[in-house]
Amino acid sequence: MKISYSWLKEYVCFDLSPKMLADKLTGAGLVAASIEAFEDDYCIDLEVTANRADCMGIIGIAREVAAITKGSLQLPCTDISREGDGDISQNVKVEVKEPLLCSQYTARVIRNITVKPSPEWLQKRLKCIGLRPVNNIVDITNYVMMESGQPLHAFDLDKVSGGQIHVRKAKSGEEIVAINGARRVLFHDMLIIADEKRPISIAGVMGGKETEVTDATRNILIECARFEPRQVRRTSKALGIVSDSSCRFERGVDPLGLDFASKRAAKLIIEHAGGEMCKGIIDVSANRNEAKKVALRIESIKKILGVDINRDVILDILRSLQFKILNCADTFVDVEIPGFRGDVSREIDLIEEVSRIYDYNNIPAKTAIGIRGSKKSKYEIVENLIRNNLTGLGFYETKTFSIVNHAFLKGVNLWSGEDVVEIANPLRQEESILRTSLLPSLAKVKIHNANHGCEKVKLFEIAKIYLKGEKLPHEKVCLSLLDSAGFFEGKGIVQSLLKNLEIHEKCEWVTFHEKTRLFNNEKTAKILMDGKTLGYIGEASKELGFKTLCTLIELDVDALVEKAHFDKKYCEPSPYPMVKRDFAIVVDEEKTWASIEDCINGANISIVKEVNYFDIYRGKQIPEEKKSIAFNLCFQSYERTLKSEEVDDASAVILDALYKKLGAELRTQ
């Protein structure tokens, strides 16, 4: 943002040299990049951060200087001395078809003007800040924009077909030639200003060549509007057109500053181009702007800054920045935020305002600021435990995008069926929906690594997925894993994770029958806990194109947080040895390991400490519709060394229970 030193002095009286002024502004957060002499003036180039839209006009800089120097701000006069007899409604009609993208549109009409070169003083100021003078009308709109930070545009009213202004989205294939001569094809998601026949301006970016003000112009329409910042930025980038107007609209303009800028421009035009302004103003507003109110606690300033600032000094600083004091008590202040300070919405923002005007140099480097660590939530503890556990197992954490390609999720319906949440205004058409699973993104990362020579990689991600809701999307936090191993190793990782989180509820591993392009249907399962879905596990399908064996897992983190326990109790280990026995039983194909494990535990053998599954076999020695499941039992006592007879008797009881309940027979071949 370039400012003129002498121009700035019109709005605030100060006794600082250009160098001293630049140093003061730098200390207040507006870094002065350079100072250049221009005739009898100076041009100061300030680096304005994206959140300080109010400082994109010289009046905004003057407001800062007034606060720093304890001066008073003098705003320019906007009283219009001459109005004609005609009513504006007889000259132009305005229709806003996209109120979400244009929340306010105002128009004024001035008739019988004379277009000529601008006065010398105005040209000089524009040249000082790097703008090229064109004519008195264009120069005044540029002047007011640089003065107030509010972009304006003047149309040749006689060239506006039908005297109608339509704020609408472009129709695909429409074209416009901008004022700078660039011809552009418009797309359906771009906001434009159109007349009865054609586009005449790219909303918030640049006006059109066909309705620009020329020497022959006699009647003009002054546009002053507020456009949605993200819409302007997307359009500007897509068309490759960047202007002073788009830079300001992208940051957001003062919702209460439109009338001031419009009246200021109209007054200057009448003074320097003659003409008469039609009575009234067209003002199409989509919503009412209510001022934000923030409570500032006096003690919070001392806690944050470590210095005790007098309450009266705090009030003076806030008033000098044009914050309105609604209520003032000994311990707190209620503050109303002006419309031009869109960056201030919290107490900490007000503290920052106080500190920078108070001057950071006045805050001692060594202060007694009490630092108190906040207690971690259960959610944070669980996430940290998951990360530590998985990184210890050799996994790498990834971060992928929430917005994905529709084709990318096709056939992936783990949590919500086929419905997806579509983005209303996607930055790229190919990425237009919110993800409903993390696994496709992990698969993409795996393929990227494989293409770069890393075939075996173990990945995980903890992030949100978005499921279709009635009004807003339902957000679910999931843990997804991609392991370069088989199904059973993946199952072991899940069991290790549950054990690390002290989740003692039993999991049921149920065959997952739904078709999905993620999993190999022969080796996949749905994980249930207390009858609810905890997640899914399965070996990757060939459709994903992996060259090596991979297992994909996705778990519901909300369920993990709900079931996790952290009250670990010391359990004294037995001083006596453990005895292990391996068994292989033949059961019906439909019998699950979960039912076998339940049967073993249901036998209530006190010396059985662990039941571990380790193999499944189907082959010539096994009858059709049967399978062989191998497992081992660990026997141990806290009172004595077990005898072989005790272990044999316990094993016989368990095998008998398996035969009676499940029809399981001990495998003999």
Side-chain angles (χ1 to χ4, degrees):
M1 171 67 189
K2 293 182 178 180
I3 63 169
S4 160
Y5 176 75
S6 61
W7 190 357
L8 182 68
K9 279 198 160 189
E10 271 199 11
Y11 310 122
V12 59
C13 183
F14 58 88
D15 188 20
L16 297 171
S17 67
K19 178 64 171 64
M20 293 171 63
L21 174 65
D23 291 342
K24 289 286 186 181
L25 289 172
T26 299
L30 297 170
V31 178
S34 64
I35 305 173
E36 294 182 5
F38 179 82
E39 297 181 5
D40 58 348
D41 197 358
Y42 292 91
C43 175
I44 304 175
D45 191 0
L46 300 175
E47 296 179 1
V48 179
T49 55
N51 65 322
R52 291 303 304 273
D54 60 303
C55 290
M56 292 300 287
I58 293 181
I59 289 177
I61 306 297
R63 190 182 295 114
E64 295 287 304
V65 175
I68 295 169
T69 61
K70 297 180 174 57
S72 59
L73 182 67
Q74 302 293 328
L75 294 178
C77 178
T78 58
D79 293 336
I80 299 172
S81 59
R82 191 161 62 249
E83 281 191 351
D85 297 328
D87 190 271
I88 190 171
S89 60
Q90 299 172 354
N91 292 270
V92 66
K93 304 290 183 185
V94 174
E95 179 188 24
V96 177
K97 294 184 178 180
E98 298 290 340
L100 293 178
L101 303 180
C102 176
S103 55
Q104 188 176 6
Y105 190 97
T106 68
R108 280 188 162 91
V109 171
I110 303 177
R111 304 186 66 84
N112 302 319
I113 63 167
T114 301
V115 179
K116 57 185 179 181
S118 301
E120 186 178 345
W121 64 268
L122 197 153
Q123 292 190 39
K124 180 181 175 182
R125 287 184 176 178
L126 293 179
K127 289 177 182 177
C128 180
I129 58 175
L131 295 182
R132 177 179 62 86
V134 180
N135 57 50
N136 52 356
I137 306 302
V138 174
D139 293 350
I140 286 171
T141 57
N142 285 336
Y143 180 87
V144 174
M145 175 180 67
M146 302 307 296
E147 179 183 63
S148 65
Q150 169 64 53
L152 303 98
H153 184 68
F155 294 100
D156 186 327
L157 184 58
D158 297 323
K159 296 176 183 177
V160 176
S161 179
Q164 296 184 21
I165 294 291
H166 300 281
V167 184
R168 62 170 173 85
K169 284 189 176 181
K171 300 171 185 176
S172 292
E174 284 187 314
E175 291 188 358
I176 189 172
V177 179
I179 287 176
N180 64 358
R183 181 181 293 275
R184 294 291 185 270
V185 176
L186 304 173
F187 298 97
H188 69 279
D189 59 345
M190 295 179 177
L191 189 69
I192 62 166
I193 313 300
D195 61 13
E196 198 174 44
K197 297 179 179 179
R198 67 203 188 283
I200 58 175
S201 176
I202 307 166
V205 180
M206 189 170 288
K209 189 83 173 173
E210 294 185 10
T211 55
E212 72 173 332
V213 174
T214 65
D215 292 345
T217 300
R218 292 294 173 264
N219 305 307
I220 61 170
L221 181 149
I222 303 173
E223 170 194 275
C224 191
R226 184 155 53 101
F227 300 111
E228 206 278 323
R230 290 167 294 185
Q231 173 70 27
V232 175
R233 178 170 175 77
R234 281 195 296 268
T235 302
S236 175
K237 287 179 70 66
L239 297 178
I241 300 176
V242 179
S243 64
D244 290 319
S245 294
S246 66
C247 290
R248 283 159 178 78
F249 279 123
E250 286 173 12
R251 288 168 167 80
V253 296
D254 179 8
L256 304 178
L258 271 69
D259 188 58
F260 169 83
S262 180
K263 288 169 68 175
R264 172 68 168 156
K267 176 180 172 60
L268 290 173
I269 288 172
I270 291 172
E271 288 178 356
H272 300 287
E276 301 172 335
M277 189 173 76
C278 292
K279 288 183 179 179
I281 177 176
I282 293 178
D283 188 345
V284 182
S285 300
N287 49 44
R288 182 180 175 185
N289 296 290
E290 294 187 3
K292 293 177 290 186
K293 298 176 178 61
V294 178
L296 173 62
R297 294 166 294 177
I298 303 299
E299 63 177 13
S300 295
I301 295 179
K302 186 174 181 179
K303 285 182 179 180
I304 299 296
L305 302 181
V307 63
D308 193 3
I309 302 177
N310 187 281
R311 192 189 67 161
D312 292 337
V313 173
I314 295 170
L315 296 178
D316 287 343
I317 290 173
L318 294 175
R319 289 192 182 104
S320 68
L321 291 170
Q322 296 190 357
F323 291 94
K324 186 177 180 180
I325 308 300
L326 299 175
N327 185 27
C328 183
D330 292 336
T331 57
F332 71 93
V333 180
D334 286 329
V335 182
E336 182 177 292
I337 312 300
F340 55 80
R341 291 306 302 270
D343 60 310
V344 178
S345 59
R346 304 168 299 167
E347 181 185 55
I348 192 66
D349 297 328
L350 290 175
I351 294 173
E352 181 184 5
E353 293 301 299
V354 171
S355 62
R356 66 186 187 83
I357 301 301
Y358 182 74
D359 197 334
Y360 294 121
N361 293 325
N362 292 330
I363 300 175
K366 294 182 179 180
T367 57
I369 303 176
I371 299 176
R372 182 180 64 186
S374 60
K375 186 178 180 180
K376 288 185 177 181
S377 66
K378 187 178 180 181
Y379 225 104
E380 292 174 303
I381 295 171
V382 169
E383 284 197 5
N384 287 339
L385 286 172
I386 292 172
R387 286 189 176 94
N388 292 337
N389 183 256
L390 293 176
T391 52
L393 293 172
F395 281 81
Y396 291 93
E397 184 173 7
T398 67
K399 293 292 181 184
T400 58
F401 293 111
S402 298
I403 303 174
V404 296
N405 192 323
H406 194 288
F408 199 53
L409 284 178
K410 192 174 182 180
V412 180
N413 52 351
L414 299 179
W415 302 99
S416 65
E418 296 293 339
D419 291 338
V420 295
V421 180
E422 296 186 2
I423 305 296
N425 296 302
L427 290 175
R428 294 194 293 178
Q429 292 300 321
E430 62 271 19
E431 294 180 353
S432 59
I433 64 170
L434 294 174
R435 62 188 175 193
T436 56
S437 172
L438 304 177
L439 290 176
S441 298
L442 286 190
K444 195 173 181 180
V445 175
K446 158 73 175 176
I447 292 170
H448 176 82
N449 278 270
N451 292 338
H452 288 77
C454 185
E455 287 286 349
K456 292 188 176 182
V457 62
K458 304 170 79 169
L459 307 168
F460 80 94
E461 180 174 12
I462 304 173
K464 289 181 179 179
I465 62 172
Y466 304 88
L467 311 178
K468 192 81 170 181
E470 292 183 6
K471 293 182 179 179
L472 295 175
H474 170 62
E475 298 180 3
K476 177 191 284 290
V477 180
C478 286
L479 163 65
S480 290
L481 302 98
L482 188 150
D483 185 27
S484 296
F487 178 89
F488 296 111
E489 182 172 324
K491 182 179 178 183
I493 290 170
V494 174
Q495 291 174 327
S496 170
L497 193 62
L498 297 178
K499 185 177 180 180
N500 192 47
L501 295 174
E502 294 290 325
I503 297 177
H504 306 297
E505 287 83 348
K506 289 187 64 178
C507 284
E508 186 177 357
W509 305 74
V510 181
T511 303
F512 183 51
H513 297 292
E514 295 182 31
K515 290 185 178 180
T516 170
R517 69 182 186 88
L518 288 174
F519 300 129
N520 174 359
N521 290 333
E522 294 180 0
K523 290 188 177 181
T524 180
K526 179 189 289 188
I527 309 170
L528 301 178
M529 183 180 288
D530 293 340
K532 297 179 180 179
T533 302
L534 176 66
Y536 301 87
I537 179 173
E539 290 186 2
S541 72
K542 294 181 180 179
E543 189 178 340
L544 295 178
F546 298 157
K547 296 179 181 178
T548 57
L549 181 64
C550 284
T551 297
L552 304 174
I553 305 167
E554 188 154 275
L555 303 176
D556 184 346
V557 173
D558 295 326
L560 294 177
V561 172
E562 181 184 349
K563 300 293 185 181
H565 301 281
F566 308 117
D567 298 329
K568 295 184 178 181
K569 295 181 180 180
Y570 172 72
C571 182
E572 184 178 356
S574 172
Y576 303 102
M578 181 182 289
V579 179
K580 287 188 177 182
R581 293 285 173 88
D582 293 345
F583 299 91
I585 58 174
V586 178
V587 294
D588 294 336
E589 187 66 52
E590 69 271 11
K591 302 299 182 184
T592 63
W593 167 249
S595 63
I596 295 171
E597 191 176 20
D598 287 342
C599 185
I600 296 171
N601 292 328
N604 294 321
I605 307 297
S606 61
I607 60 174
V608 175
K609 296 304 176 187
E610 292 181 13
V611 183
N612 299 309
Y613 162 91
F614 64 84
D615 192 25
I616 187 170
Y617 175 74
R618 299 174 181 88
K620 294 180 180 179
Q621 300 90 341
I622 308 300
E624 290 186 8
E625 299 184 356
K626 297 278 187 177
K627 60 184 176 183
S628 171
I629 291 182
F631 60 91
N632 62 46
L633 299 176
C634 299
F635 300 90
Q636 191 176 37
S637 171
Y638 280 90
E639 300 169 354
R640 65 189 184 282
T641 300
L642 295 175
K643 297 179 180 179
S644 295
E645 293 81 4
E646 290 180 281
V647 175
D648 292 340
D649 291 342
S651 299
V653 171
I654 291 171
L655 292 173
D656 184 58
L658 289 170
Y659 175 75
K660 290 179 179 179
K661 291 186 178 181
L662 303 177
E665 296 181 350
L666 191 64
R667 181 178 165 188
T668 57
Q669 57 179 357

